[in-house]
Amino acid sequence: YGQDLKVVQELFLQYRDSPPVAWNLPPIAGALTWCRGLVERIKIPMVKLEQLDRTILEREEAKEVTKVYATIIASLQEYE
């Protein structure tokens, strides 16, 4: 999951100025759809991760993943 977060972050940084937009969407709506797709891609696994036992979330790796997730979500919400 940590690797997927990095991929999403790289995709966002690479395409935020000219996101891939479906041919049938206006530019603004297409950019929002792309951005929300990235949010959904990282949000669903995070919700599942949060439902696990607390001891898992207290591990150092889980704390780092949570921190990266929060940073990416903040960037994506600012973009919207």
Side-chain angles (χ1 to χ4, degrees), residues 8-49:
V8 168
Q9 187 174 30
E10 289 172 7
L11 284 172
F12 174 69
L13 293 175
Q14 183 179 359
Y15 292 112
R16 70 177 165 195
D17 293 328
S18 59
V21 177
W23 65 273
N24 61 343
L25 291 175
I28 302 289
L32 288 173
T33 301
W34 171 75
C35 182
R36 289 179 182 162
L38 292 178
V39 169
E40 187 174 329
R41 179 175 170 174
I42 63 173
K43 195 172 202 171
I44 293 171
M46 189 63 179
V47 169
K48 290 180 181 180
L49 187 65

mmCIF file of all heavy atoms in Angstrom, residues 8-49:
data_model
loop_
_atom_site.group_PDB
_atom_site.id
_atom_site.type_symbol
_atom_site.label_atom_id
_atom_site.label_comp_id
_atom_site.label_asym_id
_atom_site.label_seq_id
_atom_site.Cartn_x
_atom_site.Cartn_y
_atom_site.Cartn_z
ATOM 1 N N VAL A 8 0.658 7.107 -6.668
ATOM 2 C CA VAL A 8 -0.394 8.126 -6.784
ATOM 3 C C VAL A 8 0.209 9.519 -6.633
ATOM 4 O O VAL A 8 -0.143 10.446 -7.372
ATOM 5 C CB VAL A 8 -1.517 7.881 -5.756
ATOM 6 C CG1 VAL A 8 -2.458 9.074 -5.675
ATOM 7 C CG2 VAL A 8 -2.295 6.632 -6.121
ATOM 8 N N GLN A 9 1.124 9.677 -5.698
ATOM 9 C CA GLN A 9 1.759 10.969 -5.499
ATOM 10 C C GLN A 9 2.542 11.384 -6.752
ATOM 11 O O GLN A 9 2.459 12.536 -7.186
ATOM 12 C CB GLN A 9 2.684 10.913 -4.289
ATOM 13 C CG GLN A 9 3.260 12.263 -3.913
ATOM 14 C CD GLN A 9 4.056 12.191 -2.628
ATOM 15 O OE1 GLN A 9 4.648 11.169 -2.300
ATOM 16 N NE2 GLN A 9 4.066 13.279 -1.897
ATOM 17 N N GLU A 10 3.261 10.449 -7.340
ATOM 18 C CA GLU A 10 4.011 10.743 -8.564
ATOM 19 C C GLU A 10 3.078 11.084 -9.722
ATOM 20 O O GLU A 10 3.349 12.004 -10.495
ATOM 21 C CB GLU A 10 4.907 9.569 -8.936
ATOM 22 C CG GLU A 10 6.078 9.392 -8.001
ATOM 23 C CD GLU A 10 6.857 8.112 -8.241
ATOM 24 O OE1 GLU A 10 6.574 7.408 -9.240
ATOM 25 O OE2 GLU A 10 7.751 7.820 -7.437
ATOM 26 N N LEU A 11 1.973 10.344 -9.849
ATOM 27 C CA LEU A 11 0.996 10.640 -10.898
ATOM 28 C C LEU A 11 0.419 12.040 -10.720
ATOM 29 O O LEU A 11 0.271 12.795 -11.687
ATOM 30 C CB LEU A 11 -0.141 9.617 -10.877
ATOM 31 C CG LEU A 11 0.166 8.246 -11.454
ATOM 32 C CD1 LEU A 11 -0.996 7.296 -11.184
ATOM 33 C CD2 LEU A 11 0.428 8.346 -12.940
ATOM 34 N N PHE A 12 0.080 12.373 -9.491
ATOM 35 C CA PHE A 12 -0.491 13.691 -9.220
ATOM 36 C C PHE A 12 0.505 14.795 -9.575
ATOM 37 O O PHE A 12 0.159 15.765 -10.242
ATOM 38 C CB PHE A 12 -0.915 13.806 -7.756
ATOM 39 C CG PHE A 12 -1.379 15.184 -7.391
ATOM 40 C CD1 PHE A 12 -2.556 15.687 -7.905
ATOM 41 C CD2 PHE A 12 -0.634 15.983 -6.536
ATOM 42 C CE1 PHE A 12 -2.988 16.970 -7.588
ATOM 43 C CE2 PHE A 12 -1.053 17.258 -6.206
ATOM 44 C CZ PHE A 12 -2.231 17.756 -6.732
ATOM 45 N N LEU A 13 1.733 14.649 -9.132
ATOM 46 C CA LEU A 13 2.740 15.680 -9.408
ATOM 47 C C LEU A 13 3.043 15.794 -10.902
ATOM 48 O O LEU A 13 3.273 16.885 -11.413
ATOM 49 C CB LEU A 13 4.020 15.383 -8.630
ATOM 50 C CG LEU A 13 3.894 15.497 -7.107
ATOM 51 C CD1 LEU A 13 5.189 15.061 -6.439
ATOM 52 C CD2 LEU A 13 3.525 16.912 -6.692
ATOM 53 N N GLN A 14 3.003 14.672 -11.599
ATOM 54 C CA GLN A 14 3.310 14.670 -13.026
ATOM 55 C C GLN A 14 2.196 15.289 -13.860
ATOM 56 O O GLN A 14 2.456 16.017 -14.813
ATOM 57 C CB GLN A 14 3.567 13.239 -13.486
ATOM 58 C CG GLN A 14 3.958 13.124 -14.948
ATOM 59 C CD GLN A 14 4.236 11.682 -15.338
ATOM 60 O OE1 GLN A 14 4.158 10.772 -14.530
ATOM 61 N NE2 GLN A 14 4.556 11.478 -16.597
ATOM 62 N N TYR A 15 0.933 15.013 -13.503
ATOM 63 C CA TYR A 15 -0.188 15.409 -14.353
ATOM 64 C C TYR A 15 -1.075 16.517 -13.780
ATOM 65 O O TYR A 15 -2.100 16.838 -14.376
ATOM 66 C CB TYR A 15 -1.087 14.197 -14.647
ATOM 67 C CG TYR A 15 -0.427 13.160 -15.509
ATOM 68 C CD1 TYR A 15 -0.096 11.918 -14.997
ATOM 69 C CD2 TYR A 15 -0.128 13.420 -16.839
ATOM 70 C CE1 TYR A 15 0.507 10.955 -15.781
ATOM 71 C CE2 TYR A 15 0.480 12.464 -17.638
ATOM 72 C CZ TYR A 15 0.784 11.237 -17.109
ATOM 73 O OH TYR A 15 1.381 10.294 -17.897
ATOM 74 N N ARG A 16 -0.718 17.121 -12.668
ATOM 75 C CA ARG A 16 -1.630 18.100 -12.074
ATOM 76 C C ARG A 16 -1.844 19.324 -12.947
ATOM 77 O O ARG A 16 -2.904 19.937 -12.905
ATOM 78 C CB ARG A 16 -1.173 18.499 -10.683
ATOM 79 C CG ARG A 16 0.079 19.322 -10.642
ATOM 80 C CD ARG A 16 0.410 19.730 -9.242
ATOM 81 N NE ARG A 16 1.788 20.196 -9.212
ATOM 82 C CZ ARG A 16 2.473 20.366 -8.120
ATOM 83 N NH1 ARG A 16 1.911 20.105 -6.966
ATOM 84 N NH2 ARG A 16 3.701 20.790 -8.175
ATOM 85 N N ASP A 17 -0.866 19.693 -13.753
ATOM 86 C CA ASP A 17 -1.033 20.860 -14.615
ATOM 87 C C ASP A 17 -1.830 20.546 -15.882
ATOM 88 O O ASP A 17 -2.489 21.427 -16.437
ATOM 89 C CB ASP A 17 0.328 21.444 -14.988
ATOM 90 C CG ASP A 17 1.037 22.035 -13.776
ATOM 91 O OD1 ASP A 17 0.337 22.537 -12.865
ATOM 92 O OD2 ASP A 17 2.276 21.991 -13.746
ATOM 93 N N SER A 18 -1.768 19.310 -16.331
ATOM 94 C CA SER A 18 -2.553 18.893 -17.499
ATOM 95 C C SER A 18 -2.986 17.447 -17.299
ATOM 96 O O SER A 18 -2.406 16.518 -17.854
ATOM 97 C CB SER A 18 -1.739 19.037 -18.789
ATOM 98 O OG SER A 18 -0.571 18.261 -18.719
ATOM 99 N N PRO A 19 -4.015 17.242 -16.469
ATOM 100 C CA PRO A 19 -4.463 15.878 -16.165
ATOM 101 C C PRO A 19 -5.078 15.184 -17.373
ATOM 102 O O PRO A 19 -5.600 15.849 -18.270
ATOM 103 C CB PRO A 19 -5.512 16.086 -15.072
ATOM 104 C CG PRO A 19 -5.992 17.469 -15.257
ATOM 105 C CD PRO A 19 -4.837 18.239 -15.814
ATOM 106 N N PRO A 20 -5.007 13.850 -17.394
ATOM 107 C CA PRO A 20 -5.670 13.113 -18.470
ATOM 108 C C PRO A 20 -7.184 13.232 -18.314
ATOM 109 O O PRO A 20 -7.735 12.932 -17.262
ATOM 110 C CB PRO A 20 -5.203 11.671 -18.253
ATOM 111 C CG PRO A 20 -4.728 11.611 -16.844
ATOM 112 C CD PRO A 20 -4.309 12.985 -16.462
ATOM 113 N N VAL A 21 -7.828 13.721 -19.347
ATOM 114 C CA VAL A 21 -9.264 13.988 -19.304
ATOM 115 C C VAL A 21 -9.952 13.162 -20.381
ATOM 116 O O VAL A 21 -9.467 13.080 -21.512
ATOM 117 C CB VAL A 21 -9.550 15.493 -19.537
ATOM 118 C CG1 VAL A 21 -11.028 15.779 -19.558
ATOM 119 C CG2 VAL A 21 -8.856 16.332 -18.477
ATOM 120 N N ALA A 22 -11.082 12.556 -20.015
ATOM 121 C CA ALA A 22 -11.871 11.795 -20.991
ATOM 122 C C ALA A 22 -12.339 12.739 -22.095
ATOM 123 O O ALA A 22 -12.605 13.921 -21.846
ATOM 124 C CB ALA A 22 -13.053 11.125 -20.312
ATOM 125 N N TRP A 23 -12.472 12.240 -23.286
ATOM 126 C CA TRP A 23 -12.819 13.077 -24.441
ATOM 127 C C TRP A 23 -14.187 13.727 -24.315
ATOM 128 O O TRP A 23 -14.442 14.768 -24.902
ATOM 129 C CB TRP A 23 -12.745 12.256 -25.729
ATOM 130 C CG TRP A 23 -13.769 11.154 -25.786
ATOM 131 C CD1 TRP A 23 -13.644 9.889 -25.295
ATOM 132 C CD2 TRP A 23 -15.078 11.238 -26.327
ATOM 133 N NE1 TRP A 23 -14.786 9.176 -25.503
ATOM 134 C CE2 TRP A 23 -15.696 9.984 -26.138
ATOM 135 C CE3 TRP A 23 -15.806 12.240 -26.942
ATOM 136 C CZ2 TRP A 23 -16.989 9.723 -26.551
ATOM 137 C CZ3 TRP A 23 -17.101 11.981 -27.357
ATOM 138 C CH2 TRP A 23 -17.672 10.726 -27.164
ATOM 139 N N ASN A 24 -15.078 13.126 -23.519
ATOM 140 C CA ASN A 24 -16.445 13.645 -23.437
ATOM 141 C C ASN A 24 -16.665 14.547 -22.218
ATOM 142 O O ASN A 24 -17.797 14.875 -21.896
ATOM 143 C CB ASN A 24 -17.447 12.494 -23.435
ATOM 144 C CG ASN A 24 -17.258 11.562 -22.256
ATOM 145 O OD1 ASN A 24 -16.219 11.561 -21.614
ATOM 146 N ND2 ASN A 24 -18.268 10.749 -21.993
ATOM 147 N N LEU A 25 -15.599 14.953 -21.539
ATOM 148 C CA LEU A 25 -15.725 15.818 -20.374
ATOM 149 C C LEU A 25 -15.071 17.172 -20.621
ATOM 150 O O LEU A 25 -14.038 17.250 -21.266
ATOM 151 C CB LEU A 25 -15.054 15.176 -19.148
ATOM 152 C CG LEU A 25 -15.707 13.945 -18.549
ATOM 153 C CD1 LEU A 25 -14.836 13.390 -17.430
ATOM 154 C CD2 LEU A 25 -17.083 14.281 -18.015
ATOM 155 N N PRO A 26 -15.677 18.230 -20.089
ATOM 156 C CA PRO A 26 -15.010 19.533 -20.155
ATOM 157 C C PRO A 26 -13.736 19.491 -19.311
ATOM 158 O O PRO A 26 -13.615 18.655 -18.409
ATOM 159 C CB PRO A 26 -16.032 20.499 -19.549
ATOM 160 C CG PRO A 26 -17.270 19.737 -19.306
ATOM 161 C CD PRO A 26 -16.986 18.295 -19.473
ATOM 162 N N PRO A 27 -12.797 20.379 -19.560
ATOM 163 C CA PRO A 27 -11.503 20.325 -18.869
ATOM 164 C C PRO A 27 -11.590 20.357 -17.342
ATOM 165 O O PRO A 27 -10.916 19.568 -16.678
ATOM 166 C CB PRO A 27 -10.770 21.558 -19.388
ATOM 167 C CG PRO A 27 -11.416 21.886 -20.674
ATOM 168 C CD PRO A 27 -12.830 21.433 -20.571
ATOM 169 N N ILE A 28 -12.412 21.221 -16.778
ATOM 170 C CA ILE A 28 -12.500 21.333 -15.317
ATOM 171 C C ILE A 28 -13.137 20.078 -14.719
ATOM 172 O O ILE A 28 -12.615 19.505 -13.758
ATOM 173 C CB ILE A 28 -13.316 22.581 -14.895
ATOM 174 C CG1 ILE A 28 -12.694 23.851 -15.462
ATOM 175 C CG2 ILE A 28 -13.457 22.646 -13.378
ATOM 176 C CD1 ILE A 28 -11.399 24.267 -14.831
ATOM 177 N N ALA A 29 -14.246 19.641 -15.295
ATOM 178 C CA ALA A 29 -14.912 18.438 -14.794
ATOM 179 C C ALA A 29 -14.011 17.215 -14.956
ATOM 180 O O ALA A 29 -13.974 16.342 -14.087
ATOM 181 C CB ALA A 29 -16.238 18.221 -15.526
ATOM 182 N N GLY A 30 -13.271 17.160 -16.049
ATOM 183 C CA GLY A 30 -12.352 16.046 -16.267
ATOM 184 C C GLY A 30 -11.226 16.031 -15.251
ATOM 185 O O GLY A 30 -10.847 14.973 -14.745
ATOM 186 N N ALA A 31 -10.709 17.210 -14.926
ATOM 187 C CA ALA A 31 -9.647 17.306 -13.927
ATOM 188 C C ALA A 31 -10.156 16.883 -12.553
ATOM 189 O O ALA A 31 -9.465 16.188 -11.808
ATOM 190 C CB ALA A 31 -9.094 18.728 -13.874
ATOM 191 N N LEU A 32 -11.376 17.295 -12.211
ATOM 192 C CA LEU A 32 -11.964 16.905 -10.927
ATOM 193 C C LEU A 32 -12.219 15.402 -10.871
ATOM 194 O O LEU A 32 -11.977 14.765 -9.845
ATOM 195 C CB LEU A 32 -13.260 17.664 -10.664
ATOM 196 C CG LEU A 32 -13.093 19.139 -10.318
ATOM 197 C CD1 LEU A 32 -14.449 19.834 -10.246
ATOM 198 C CD2 LEU A 32 -12.342 19.314 -9.019
ATOM 199 N N THR A 33 -12.692 14.845 -11.966
ATOM 200 C CA THR A 33 -12.925 13.400 -12.026
ATOM 201 C C THR A 33 -11.619 12.636 -11.855
ATOM 202 O O THR A 33 -11.555 11.653 -11.113
ATOM 203 C CB THR A 33 -13.584 13.020 -13.368
ATOM 204 O OG1 THR A 33 -14.815 13.738 -13.490
ATOM 205 C CG2 THR A 33 -13.854 11.535 -13.457
ATOM 206 N N TRP A 34 -10.569 13.097 -12.500
ATOM 207 C CA TRP A 34 -9.254 12.476 -12.370
ATOM 208 C C TRP A 34 -8.751 12.558 -10.934
ATOM 209 O O TRP A 34 -8.295 11.576 -10.365
ATOM 210 C CB TRP A 34 -8.281 13.167 -13.324
ATOM 211 C CG TRP A 34 -6.864 12.778 -13.138
ATOM 212 C CD1 TRP A 34 -6.282 11.602 -13.518
ATOM 213 C CD2 TRP A 34 -5.840 13.549 -12.513
ATOM 214 N NE1 TRP A 34 -4.961 11.608 -13.176
ATOM 215 C CE2 TRP A 34 -4.651 12.790 -12.559
ATOM 216 C CE3 TRP A 34 -5.796 14.807 -11.933
ATOM 217 C CZ2 TRP A 34 -3.457 13.261 -12.039
ATOM 218 C CZ3 TRP A 34 -4.606 15.276 -11.415
ATOM 219 C CH2 TRP A 34 -3.457 14.498 -11.471
ATOM 220 N N CYS A 35 -8.893 13.729 -10.340
ATOM 221 C CA CYS A 35 -8.436 13.938 -8.966
ATOM 222 C C CYS A 35 -9.215 13.055 -7.987
ATOM 223 O O CYS A 35 -8.632 12.416 -7.112
ATOM 224 C CB CYS A 35 -8.590 15.408 -8.601
ATOM 225 S SG CYS A 35 -8.026 15.820 -6.955
ATOM 226 N N ARG A 36 -10.513 12.997 -8.146
ATOM 227 C CA ARG A 36 -11.334 12.171 -7.246
ATOM 228 C C ARG A 36 -11.050 10.684 -7.441
ATOM 229 O O ARG A 36 -11.170 9.906 -6.496
ATOM 230 C CB ARG A 36 -12.805 12.495 -7.461
ATOM 231 C CG ARG A 36 -13.133 13.869 -6.926
ATOM 232 C CD ARG A 36 -14.548 14.275 -7.122
ATOM 233 N NE ARG A 36 -14.732 15.640 -6.612
ATOM 234 C CZ ARG A 36 -15.744 16.401 -6.933
ATOM 235 N NH1 ARG A 36 -16.686 15.963 -7.748
ATOM 236 N NH2 ARG A 36 -15.838 17.621 -6.436
ATOM 237 N N GLY A 37 -10.678 10.300 -8.642
ATOM 238 C CA GLY A 37 -10.279 8.915 -8.878
ATOM 239 C C GLY A 37 -9.010 8.561 -8.107
ATOM 240 O O GLY A 37 -8.892 7.467 -7.554
ATOM 241 N N LEU A 38 -8.070 9.508 -8.051
ATOM 242 C CA LEU A 38 -6.858 9.285 -7.264
ATOM 243 C C LEU A 38 -7.185 9.187 -5.776
ATOM 244 O O LEU A 38 -6.644 8.338 -5.070
ATOM 245 C CB LEU A 38 -5.850 10.413 -7.501
ATOM 246 C CG LEU A 38 -5.214 10.499 -8.885
ATOM 247 C CD1 LEU A 38 -4.283 11.706 -8.968
ATOM 248 C CD2 LEU A 38 -4.468 9.230 -9.232
ATOM 249 N N VAL A 39 -8.091 10.053 -5.318
ATOM 250 C CA VAL A 39 -8.496 10.012 -3.901
ATOM 251 C C VAL A 39 -9.116 8.660 -3.578
ATOM 252 O O VAL A 39 -8.771 8.031 -2.576
ATOM 253 C CB VAL A 39 -9.480 11.157 -3.573
ATOM 254 C CG1 VAL A 39 -10.102 10.966 -2.199
ATOM 255 C CG2 VAL A 39 -8.785 12.504 -3.659
ATOM 256 N N GLU A 40 -10.012 8.200 -4.431
ATOM 257 C CA GLU A 40 -10.674 6.916 -4.192
ATOM 258 C C GLU A 40 -9.673 5.766 -4.213
ATOM 259 O O GLU A 40 -9.779 4.830 -3.425
ATOM 260 C CB GLU A 40 -11.750 6.691 -5.252
ATOM 261 C CG GLU A 40 -12.603 5.478 -4.991
ATOM 262 C CD GLU A 40 -13.749 5.368 -5.979
ATOM 263 O OE1 GLU A 40 -14.239 6.404 -6.450
ATOM 264 O OE2 GLU A 40 -14.124 4.227 -6.280
ATOM 265 N N ARG A 41 -8.691 5.865 -5.088
ATOM 266 C CA ARG A 41 -7.675 4.811 -5.211
ATOM 267 C C ARG A 41 -6.887 4.621 -3.915
ATOM 268 O O ARG A 41 -6.498 3.505 -3.582
ATOM 269 C CB ARG A 41 -6.737 5.169 -6.356
ATOM 270 C CG ARG A 41 -5.639 4.179 -6.585
ATOM 271 C CD ARG A 41 -4.842 4.552 -7.804
ATOM 272 N NE ARG A 41 -3.645 3.739 -7.913
ATOM 273 C CZ ARG A 41 -2.824 3.778 -8.930
ATOM 274 N NH1 ARG A 41 -3.055 4.587 -9.934
ATOM 275 N NH2 ARG A 41 -1.753 3.018 -8.961
ATOM 276 N N ILE A 42 -6.657 5.693 -3.172
ATOM 277 C CA ILE A 42 -5.893 5.557 -1.930
ATOM 278 C C ILE A 42 -6.780 5.509 -0.690
ATOM 279 O O ILE A 42 -6.351 5.039 0.356
ATOM 280 C CB ILE A 42 -4.825 6.665 -1.781
ATOM 281 C CG1 ILE A 42 -5.449 8.043 -1.695
ATOM 282 C CG2 ILE A 42 -3.817 6.563 -2.883
ATOM 283 C CD1 ILE A 42 -4.458 9.147 -1.375
ATOM 284 N N LYS A 43 -8.021 5.980 -0.811
ATOM 285 C CA LYS A 43 -8.893 6.046 0.364
ATOM 286 C C LYS A 43 -9.443 4.678 0.761
ATOM 287 O O LYS A 43 -9.495 4.341 1.948
ATOM 288 C CB LYS A 43 -10.040 7.018 0.098
ATOM 289 C CG LYS A 43 -10.779 7.440 1.327
ATOM 290 C CD LYS A 43 -11.756 8.547 1.004
ATOM 291 C CE LYS A 43 -12.077 9.307 2.256
ATOM 292 N NZ LYS A 43 -12.848 10.506 1.986
ATOM 293 N N ILE A 44 -9.849 3.888 -0.205
ATOM 294 C CA ILE A 44 -10.467 2.589 0.083
ATOM 295 C C ILE A 44 -9.521 1.669 0.861
ATOM 296 O O ILE A 44 -9.899 1.123 1.896
ATOM 297 C CB ILE A 44 -11.002 1.938 -1.212
ATOM 298 C CG1 ILE A 44 -12.169 2.763 -1.753
ATOM 299 C CG2 ILE A 44 -11.422 0.494 -0.963
ATOM 300 C CD1 ILE A 44 -12.642 2.354 -3.123
ATOM 301 N N PRO A 45 -8.257 1.505 0.415
ATOM 302 C CA PRO A 45 -7.350 0.667 1.212
ATOM 303 C C PRO A 45 -7.063 1.253 2.598
ATOM 304 O O PRO A 45 -6.887 0.512 3.562
ATOM 305 C CB PRO A 45 -6.069 0.612 0.382
ATOM 306 C CG PRO A 45 -6.481 0.958 -0.992
ATOM 307 C CD PRO A 45 -7.636 1.876 -0.855
ATOM 308 N N MET A 46 -7.048 2.587 2.713
ATOM 309 C CA MET A 46 -6.776 3.208 4.006
ATOM 310 C C MET A 46 -7.915 2.928 4.987
ATOM 311 O O MET A 46 -7.673 2.676 6.167
ATOM 312 C CB MET A 46 -6.568 4.719 3.848
ATOM 313 C CG MET A 46 -6.090 5.380 5.086
ATOM 314 S SD MET A 46 -4.469 4.737 5.541
ATOM 315 C CE MET A 46 -4.135 5.678 6.978
ATOM 316 N N VAL A 47 -9.131 2.961 4.516
ATOM 317 C CA VAL A 47 -10.281 2.646 5.372
ATOM 318 C C VAL A 47 -10.168 1.206 5.878
ATOM 319 O O VAL A 47 -10.394 0.931 7.064
ATOM 320 C CB VAL A 47 -11.609 2.868 4.611
ATOM 321 C CG1 VAL A 47 -12.789 2.310 5.372
ATOM 322 C CG2 VAL A 47 -11.810 4.352 4.338
ATOM 323 N N LYS A 48 -9.791 0.295 4.995
ATOM 324 C CA LYS A 48 -9.613 -1.101 5.405
ATOM 325 C C LYS A 48 -8.475 -1.243 6.407
ATOM 326 O O LYS A 48 -8.565 -2.016 7.358
ATOM 327 C CB LYS A 48 -9.355 -1.986 4.186
ATOM 328 C CG LYS A 48 -10.574 -2.143 3.304
ATOM 329 C CD LYS A 48 -10.283 -3.017 2.113
ATOM 330 C CE LYS A 48 -11.512 -3.134 1.229
ATOM 331 N NZ LYS A 48 -11.276 -3.975 0.065
ATOM 332 N N LEU A 49 -7.409 -0.485 6.192
ATOM 333 C CA LEU A 49 -6.269 -0.518 7.101
ATOM 334 C C LEU A 49 -6.662 -0.012 8.487
ATOM 335 O O LEU A 49 -6.249 -0.562 9.508
ATOM 336 C CB LEU A 49 -5.126 0.315 6.534
ATOM 337 C CG LEU A 49 -3.797 0.272 7.258
ATOM 338 C CD1 LEU A 49 -3.208 -1.138 7.182
ATOM 339 C CD2 LEU A 49 -2.823 1.267 6.656
#
